[in-house]
Amino acid sequence: MAQEPDSVLVTAALNGDGDSFTELCRRYYPAMVAITHSILGDRHLAEDAAQQAFAKAAVKLPQLTKKDRFAGWVAAISRNAARDMLPTTPPRRMHRIEESSAAAAESGDNPAAEAVRQALGKLAASAREVIYLRFYDGMPYEQIAAVLGISEQAINGRLRRAKRELAEHLRRDGFGEVRS
Amino acid sequence: MNEQRDEKWLDKLIAGSIDTSEPKFDAEKWKQKHPTEFQTLVDRRSQQTSTGPFGLLRLVISYRITQVAAAAAIMITIGLLIAYLGPGEQPAQTGGGAKSPAEMVTSASLRMAYNRGGMEALEKQCDRAARILGRGSLSMADLFEDLNG
């Protein structure tokens, strides 16, 4: 089942095959957590949001018209689920606050890590999203392309621009000198 | 070269700053956490398997267009049944000829006989009418004579 294309699993899930649907969840869970993490800035909340997104997808599955676009479709649901968890605070601000507090606990008081998190919070949502997707256990470009619905070349370009922007933010914050 | 070194430095920084270890999806926990949604998904199996007469009936009832189509099909079937099996009067058969002498010599009956077999059939019909009336035979000449006085 792990080798089956998405469209086959979606068709089986539409016929009530729960195992096919959970296989789809297993396949795209890391990507969905990466997306929701990029919005929420908190790993635990991100996992909750991704699971909620799959629950919504289970109910709305008959609305999916193109069965081979499951990844992109569930990514859109995941973004909405994550945004729903931010009812009052603007996403960027929320990202910075939560990321800094959560990650500070994760990695002690590492000033470099703190600076990166601050800089990530300053990026546009789409740039931050592609960085998280790429850095989640070195996710392959192929899967990122399936999730974002763009070519691998476009992913490469977007990732380069995002990293360049991130590096600029770091240097502007006076972090450039720290590395050498 | 410098750019490559920069990228490696940045990659290391990013990897060290956010928790990016691969999350694992626990299907059983997920099912327990979202039982209603999972049940909705699985229930589609039973909907799919009940495609017998009741499944079809459910489908017909579900949509307006299938309701109209079903009503039209029923009406057409009833119409055809009435047309083929109903006790309605069949139209009078003219091919076998008229029954009484009076009918036999009406202009309509004579015209049909003529159409059927020409002058020969016309003569035969006149003879049949004459035999029934007790006359030996009746030619067309006699008939016209009678009619014209």
Side-chain angles (χ1 to χ4, degrees):
Chain A
M1 191 179 278
Q3 305 302 318
E4 297 281 11
D6 288 2
S7 55
V8 173
L9 293 175
V10 168
T11 305
L14 277 169
N15 291 331
D17 183 357
D19 290 343
S20 293
F21 187 77
T22 51
E23 175 55 31
L24 283 166
C25 296
R26 201 169 287 123
R27 192 173 286 183
Y28 291 109
Y29 187 62
M32 297 311 127
V33 174
I35 287 173
T36 51
H37 196 172
S38 78
I39 295 168
L40 293 162
D42 179 275
R43 174 67 178 259
H44 297 294
L45 276 178
E47 293 211 27
D48 276 353
Q51 286 175 22
Q52 271 184 31
F54 284 126
K56 281 181 188 168
V59 176
K60 290 181 175 178
L61 197 60
Q63 294 174 20
L64 175 62
T65 47
K66 292 179 180 169
K67 290 171 186 165
D68 55 341
R69 301 273 174 88
F70 177 81
W73 178 71
V74 83
I77 297 174
S78 297
R79 285 185 201 105
N80 287 335
R83 286 180 197 129
D84 285 347
M85 286 183 161
L86 304 168
T88 50
T89 320
R92 261 195 194 188
R93 184 172 154 69
M94 184 77 176
H95 183 276
R96 267 184 266 172
I97 294 165
E98 295 225 359
E99 188 69 82
S100 54
S101 56
E106 277 169 21
S107 56
D109 286 330
N110 181 355
E114 180 56 30
V116 172
R117 285 189 291 271
Q118 293 286 342
L120 276 169
K122 289 174 187 167
L123 294 181
S126 60
R128 196 166 56 234
E129 187 175 277
V130 79
I131 286 182
Y132 271 82
L133 278 167
R134 181 62 184 149
F135 280 85
Y136 254 77
D137 209 39
M139 197 175 289
Y141 276 35
E142 190 189 354
Q143 194 172 18
I144 300 174
V147 168
L148 297 183
I150 55 177
S151 70
E152 290 179 32
Q153 264 189 327
I155 301 280
N156 198 22
R158 195 181 283 188
L159 190 61
R160 274 177 173 278
R161 281 193 298 277
K163 281 186 193 169
R164 206 178 300 142
E165 201 187 331
L166 185 69
E168 266 180 38
H169 281 302
L170 285 170
R171 287 194 185 100
R172 214 174 293 153
D173 293 344
F175 192 72
E177 287 76 26
V178 179
R179 71 181 175 99
S180 55
Chain B
M1 192 71 177
N2 238 1
E3 200 177 323
Q4 275 184 347
R5 212 175 51 208
D6 268 7
E7 231 183 280
K8 276 189 181 175
W9 158 76
L10 195 58
D11 286 356
K12 266 189 181 176
L13 264 183
I14 297 169
S17 305
I18 46 180
D19 178 8
T20 54
S21 57
E22 189 185 7
K24 298 272 182 235
F25 181 74
D26 187 335
E28 292 311 312
K29 264 190 185 172
W30 178 77
K31 285 177 201 171
Q32 283 170 10
K33 206 171 168 185
H34 304 279
T36 318
E37 288 86 349
F38 185 70
Q39 201 54 46
T40 306
L41 180 88
V42 177
D43 281 350
R44 289 192 197 109
R45 188 196 300 262
S46 52
Q47 283 171 15
Q48 292 287 326
T49 49
S50 67
T51 49
F54 292 112
L56 188 65
L57 186 66
R58 197 180 299 124
L59 178 78
V60 168
I61 292 167
S62 305
Y63 301 100
R64 176 117 187 108
I65 191 156
T66 50
Q67 287 173 358
V68 172
I74 290 168
M75 285 169 74
I76 288 169
T77 308
I78 290 171
L80 288 173
L81 281 173
I82 290 171
Y84 284 103
L85 305 173
E89 290 274 326
Q90 294 290 320
Q93 287 289 323
T94 52
K99 295 280 186 295
S100 69
E103 282 175 13
M104 284 178 192
V105 293
T106 60
S107 63
S109 183
L110 291 172
R111 194 182 307 119
M112 274 192 292
Y114 181 77
N115 289 341
R116 203 164 55 236
M119 281 307 287
E120 202 179 330
L122 200 58
E123 287 285 351
K124 270 186 188 171
Q125 181 148 328
C126 290
D127 279 347
R128 270 177 60 211
R131 264 199 307 277
I132 292 167
L133 288 170
R135 292 179 63 164
S137 72
L138 186 66
S139 68
M140 285 300 293
D142 294 336
L143 184 64
F144 288 133
E145 199 177 302
D146 278 358
L147 287 171
N148 294 329

